[in-house]
Amino acid sequence: MLIKLHDLYFKPFISEKEIGTIVKNMVDAIAEDLGDEMPVFVGVLNGSFMFVSDFVKKYPKSCEVTFIKLASYEGVKSTEDIQRLIGLTQDLTDRTVVVLEDIIDSGNTLEEVHRIFRNENVKNLIIATLFYKPEAYAKDFKLHYVGKEIPNKFIVGYGLDYNGLGRDLPAIYQLKTTQYMINIVLFGPPGAGKGTQAEFLKEKYDLVHISTGDVFRCNIKNETALGMLAKSYMDKGALVPDQVTIDMLNKEVEKNTDANGFIFDGFPRTDAQAKALDNLMDSKDSQINAMVALEVDDEVLVQRLLKRGETSGRADDADEGIIRNRIKEYYNKTAILKDYYSEQNKYFGVDGVGSIEAITERLSNVLDKL
Ligand code: AMP
């Protein structure tokens, strides 16, 4: 799940469990290398407090722990200016010192740490960092122990903050750089008015409307291979095979890299399509926020579609048998999606009978709350 701190969104990056494993591996390596030497662990505050706490709890032998406090962050960028707020408060002459850092990126903080120890006459100065960003590191100081190398993206949690927030999180989250999208599945049986409503909603919320039915019809009109394949199914009122539809949808989404979000109309229609859509959204650091369903009685639908068939030129609107088959297909195959999204508390039913404006308003009420 995404979390929001101040104005930014962050996504899960390193789980609590994985952090536990990384810390344990560092403890094992350091304990083995130090042997019988009694170390002084020096945590660099504030960020390292959770790491130091977990580290020394796991450390198998006796040790001392102390802290220095530096401030190096201004928002999400590492600043040049490191402030020394609390320096060393005890004599470390001839001691083996292990500096425990939560993260090393530019190396500026580490430079200040070295400055602090320059005149201390310690026996050994060992640097151990939980996380390390090799792409950002611009110094030459040796890093003796690195828990995990990570890409040069801003992270929070497990002691690390964004302007004061996020230190308390037990896992690590990474800044989500793509903007926040709102993605809606507009749902309802054929003739429920999805296409009409989508036109209003896409204007109002600045979303990209993708109707798989429309894309197929466009392909049929242009006599593409995809169109020819789809036509054989569509003319009978049957569903086009999943893989064909999913591939096509992925392509449509990829065409709109900077969309604020999507209205999916006529997709997903099967469980496999719903899962494929979740994966696609996931790959965009995003998610489906809601399935909004227009609920309309069957007999009303048949009458509406027959009326539309008088002018739409759609073969599948002209015949009552085909229309009833499409409605049947909808309930047979598609109604399970109501359960799929209900389980995630993302299903919103809206009464689809009434004036176009009234229904738009009902839909807007749902979207405004997302
Ligand atoms: P529609 O315009 O949404 O009523 O779709 C018209 C026809 O296109 C359907 O009856 C199916 O044959 C095909 N179709 C549209 N969307 C899908 C989908 N997600 N999966 C399979 N077939 C679809």
Side-chain angles (χ1 to χ4, degrees), residues 212-213 216-217 234 238-240 245 266-267 269 273 314 326:
T212 41
F216 282 135
R217 278 184 289 276
M234 288 172 72
L239 291 183
V240 177
T245 311
F267 189 97
R269 268 174 152 102
Q273 291 182 12
R314 279 176 59 168
R326 284 164 63 201

Side-chain angles (χ1 to χ4, degrees), residues 78-92:
S78 190
T79 60
E80 290 297 316
D81 229 17
I82 310 294
Q83 292 176 48
R84 195 182 303 182
L85 303 172
I86 301 174
L88 283 172
T89 50
Q90 77 192 81
D91 180 19
L92 295 175

Side-chain angles (χ1 to χ4, degrees), residues 13-25 130-131 148:
F13 179 45
I14 303 172
S15 69
E16 197 176 348
K17 186 160 168 253
E18 190 186 344
I19 296 171
T21 309
I22 297 167
V23 173
K24 179 71 169 67
N25 290 341
L130 180 58
F131 300 118
K148 185 180 172 78

Side-chain angles (χ1 to χ4, degrees), residues 11-301:
K11 60 179 175 177
F13 179 45
I14 303 172
S15 69
E16 197 176 348
K17 186 160 168 253
E18 190 186 344
I19 296 171
T21 309
I22 297 167
V23 173
K24 179 71 169 67
N25 290 341
M26 292 180 78
V27 166
D28 290 348
I30 293 173
E32 169 155 3
D33 291 350
L34 293 188
D36 292 332
E37 189 82 42
M38 161 120 68
V40 185
F41 291 112
V42 178
V44 183
L45 292 175
N46 289 329
S48 74
F49 77 96
M50 275 206 196
F51 172 45
V52 175
S53 165
D54 285 345
F55 184 97
V56 296
K57 276 184 274 183
K58 291 187 166 95
Y59 199 74
K61 294 170 211 166
S62 157
C63 62
E64 287 178 46
V65 190
T66 186
F67 290 91
I68 53 177
K69 181 166 163 109
L70 305 173
S72 73
Y73 275 101
E74 184 80 48
V76 295
K77 283 219 183 68
S78 190
T79 60
E80 290 297 316
D81 229 17
I82 310 294
Q83 292 176 48
R84 195 182 303 182
L85 303 172
I86 301 174
L88 283 172
T89 50
Q90 77 192 81
D91 180 19
L92 295 175
T93 307
D94 282 334
R95 300 295 307 271
T96 290
V97 170
V98 182
V99 173
L100 295 179
E101 263 279 37
D102 43 324
I103 185 164
I104 289 180
D105 52 18
S106 67
N108 290 337
T109 306
L110 187 58
E111 184 165 53
E112 186 63 20
V113 167
H114 276 274
R115 206 172 290 137
I116 287 174
F117 282 97
R118 191 170 294 153
N119 301 316
E120 290 299 316
N121 299 316
V122 299
K123 183 167 158 197
N124 261 319
L125 182 63
I126 297 164
I127 307 296
T129 184
L130 180 58
F131 300 118
Y132 169 51
K133 292 179 177 172
E135 297 156 47
Y137 192 55
K139 308 285 178 198
D140 296 321
F141 305 110
K142 183 173 163 69
L143 309 179
H144 302 83
Y145 299 92
V146 171
K148 185 180 172 78
E149 290 191 3
I150 58 171
N152 191 12
K153 293 207 176 149
F154 191 75
I155 58 170
V156 294
Y158 198 70
L160 294 152
D161 76 312
Y162 165 48
N163 281 348
L165 295 183
R167 292 197 199 278
D168 54 322
L169 300 166
I172 295 284
Y173 292 77
Q174 191 181 59
L175 180 64
K176 196 173 106 40
T177 37
T178 46
Q179 85 258 47
Y180 190 70
M181 298 201 286
I182 288 245
N183 301 299
I184 307 292
V185 173
L186 190 57
F187 198 57
K194 298 186 298 276
T196 309
Q197 293 300 333
E199 287 304 309
F200 288 103
L201 296 177
K202 79 171 195 197
E203 290 300 324
K204 183 162 180 191
Y205 296 95
D206 192 19
L207 302 173
V208 174
H209 173 210
I210 299 180
S211 154
T212 41
D214 285 351
V215 181
F216 282 135
R217 278 184 289 276
C218 181
N219 275 279
I220 292 173
K221 199 167 139 229
N222 296 330
E223 299 183 348
T224 67
L226 174 65
M228 294 305 98
L229 175 66
K231 190 173 186 321
S232 56
Y233 296 92
M234 288 172 72
D235 282 352
K236 288 179 284 186
L239 291 183
V240 177
D242 274 341
Q243 205 48 54
V244 176
T245 311
I246 290 168
D247 289 348
M248 179 193 82
L249 183 99
N250 286 357
K251 281 201 198 105
E252 289 299 313
V253 168
E254 293 308 334
K255 281 185 199 162
N256 295 283
T257 43
D258 42 36
N260 286 328
F262 294 90
I263 300 173
F264 297 103
D265 164 4
F267 189 97
R269 268 174 152 102
T270 65
D271 205 46
Q273 291 182 12
K275 291 192 174 108
L277 186 58
D278 277 349
N279 289 340
L280 180 66
M281 291 294 108
D282 223 36
S283 75
K284 309 213 150 304
D285 276 359
S286 196
Q287 59 174 332
I288 294 297
N289 301 82
M291 165 179 268
V292 192
L294 290 168
E295 294 169 342
V296 182
D297 189 72
D298 283 7
E299 292 314 309
V300 177
L301 294 173

Side-chain angles (χ1 to χ4, degrees), residues 300-320:
V300 177
L301 294 173
V302 174
Q303 294 317 314
R304 279 191 193 173
L305 288 172
L306 281 172
K307 186 135 187 293
R308 183 169 83 184
E310 291 168 12
T311 53
S312 73
R314 279 176 59 168
D316 58 353
D317 283 348
D319 181 285
E320 186 169 333

